[in-house]
Amino acid sequence: MPKVILSFILSFFISNLSFAQSGKVFDKLSHPSKILKDERNFAIYLPPDYETSQRSYPVLYLLHGAGDDQTGWVQFGEVQRITDQGIKDGTATPMIIVMPDAYTHRLGYFNDIRGDWNYEDYFFEELMPYVEQTYRIKREKQFRAVAGLSMGGGGSFMYALHRPDLFSAACPLSAYIGPDSVEGVKSMAKRYNNIEVSDADAEKYYPTHNALSLIENMTKEQIESVRWFIDCGDDDFLYEGNSLVHIALRKKGVKHEFRIRDGGHSWSYWRESLHEVLKFVSEGFHR
């Protein structure tokens, strides 16, 4: 066989092999929500062998930060490249990654104090059932994890602390740990939603939306039923809150991983974190 033809065949084979080892990302998907009375966007990463296999996969819910939408982890976090590489080198198991949009119309992952935008209800009652019925996702706790950055790190804390029965692992990155007081709740509502909140409503909201308060009021067994990986840069403005969570978990005797690396509140930091997140959740999926 002539060398030029052989070279062409090898190049074609290598090119197609490389393509076959790439996952796919769809970042403009949507579904209707009765709870939010709106069409909700989400993005999804499907692993390289999704279209050629019949197997079901574990799932990671990956939450964006304030100012981004469901495309944040796709465009800036390079989720496809990093996950493909993790699967290729064996540090990550093939998984489906769901990235919801918590920015359109209203900002945040939680139920609004006024009760007219119940995003957390939507996440658990509509988004999770929809994607886990639409895609070949394993629905047991062992095969479900949540992670996120900044505001999404706060979502990771709250979702796993509110529903430890649903997640095997939680990985808050540079996380906002929630308002630090009743006055903090009122200030947050005024700043982000331009609304006045009564003392009574703020006092009701605060204990269930502050990581330190939740940790204090939950049992060690409840918290430890989730595997925890907490990561924050040493130059991050949210460093103190994450450190206080680490101390609270240590005092309670809760096993967890706590990482402080050189860096700030930036995508360059979170892209490095994502490698470790995928490795950490994969270890739990394989147990």
Side-chain angles (χ1 to χ4, degrees):
M1 181 180 295
K3 288 184 178 180
V4 65
I5 296 177
L6 180 60
S7 177
F8 174 79
I9 293 173
L10 287 173
S11 297
F12 180 82
F13 175 78
I14 292 170
S15 173
N16 279 274
L17 180 62
S18 176
F19 178 79
Q21 292 174 338
S22 297
K24 288 188 177 180
V25 167
F26 302 89
D27 65 0
K28 295 181 180 179
L29 302 174
S30 66
H31 74 117
S33 167
K34 293 181 179 179
I35 292 173
L36 298 180
K37 301 179 178 63
D38 189 22
E39 192 79 9
R40 298 307 304 167
N41 298 324
F42 68 96
I44 197 163
Y45 167 87
L46 300 177
D49 62 349
Y50 185 83
E51 293 182 348
T52 59
S53 78
Q54 297 298 316
R55 61 174 290 198
S56 295
Y57 298 83
V59 61
L60 170 64
Y61 290 90
L62 188 59
L63 312 183
H64 66 77
D68 283 322
D69 57 20
Q70 81 281 359
T71 65
W73 274 107
V74 176
Q75 182 175 359
F76 306 113
E78 301 180 18
V79 65
Q80 181 176 1
R81 177 185 66 80
I82 293 170
T83 309
D84 282 352
Q85 183 60 48
I87 293 171
K88 182 179 179 180
D89 65 26
T91 58
T93 190
M95 69 183 77
I96 289 173
I97 301 177
V98 177
M99 294 157 278
D101 171 22
Y103 189 51
T104 307
H105 305 310
R106 295 278 187 92
L107 177 65
Y109 291 97
F110 312 121
N111 292 349
D112 193 278
I113 296 175
R114 295 166 293 183
D116 64 343
W117 185 259
N118 294 327
Y119 191 95
E120 186 168 353
D121 290 348
Y122 153 75
F123 182 91
F124 287 113
E125 297 174 23
E126 292 184 330
L127 176 64
M128 273 182 45
Y130 175 80
V131 296
E132 295 188 10
Q133 291 167 8
T134 304
Y135 300 92
R136 298 197 309 275
I137 292 174
K138 295 183 177 181
R139 303 181 193 180
E140 299 86 359
K141 166 187 166 83
Q142 178 186 342
F143 302 108
R144 186 185 296 115
V146 61
L149 65 91
S150 195
M151 179 182 78
S156 304
F157 266 130
M158 300 306 142
Y159 284 3
L161 291 170
H162 289 170
R163 295 299 307 270
D165 58 308
L166 291 180
F167 298 102
S168 64
C171 304
L173 310 174
S174 309
Y176 170 63
I177 69 166
D180 58 1
S181 64
V182 170
E183 286 303 315
V185 173
K186 297 171 69 175
S187 174
M188 179 182 67
K190 182 67 176 177
R191 178 180 179 184
Y192 291 106
N193 297 325
N194 197 29
I195 60 171
E196 301 290 341
V197 175
S198 69
D199 288 345
D201 285 343
E203 288 173 2
K204 183 179 179 181
Y205 185 90
Y206 168 72
T208 58
H209 292 83
N210 173 272
L212 295 172
S213 178
L214 284 164
I215 290 167
E216 180 180 351
N217 291 297
M218 292 172 67
T219 67
K220 173 187 175 183
E221 290 72 25
Q222 286 175 315
I223 304 169
E224 210 169 53
S225 68
V226 179
R227 298 172 63 247
W228 291 93
F229 180 92
I230 303 166
D231 183 5
C232 189
D234 59 355
D235 297 319
D236 198 302
F237 69 96
L238 294 173
Y239 170 82
E240 181 178 356
N242 284 264
S243 299
L244 290 173
V245 168
H246 164 60
I247 292 169
L249 292 173
R250 282 288 297 269
K251 287 183 176 178
K252 202 141 194 169
V254 174
K255 295 177 182 177
H256 65 287
E257 299 295 328
F258 181 56
R259 298 288 183 272
I260 296 294
R261 294 185 288 109
D262 180 37
H265 207 74
S266 67
W267 277 109
S268 61
Y269 189 91
W270 300 319
R271 284 191 293 269
E272 290 188 22
S273 297
L274 185 56
H275 287 282
E276 298 304 315
V277 167
L278 296 174
K279 179 180 177 182
F280 182 80
V281 301
S282 294
E283 290 169 353
F285 293 156
H286 282 152
R287 286 196 306 173

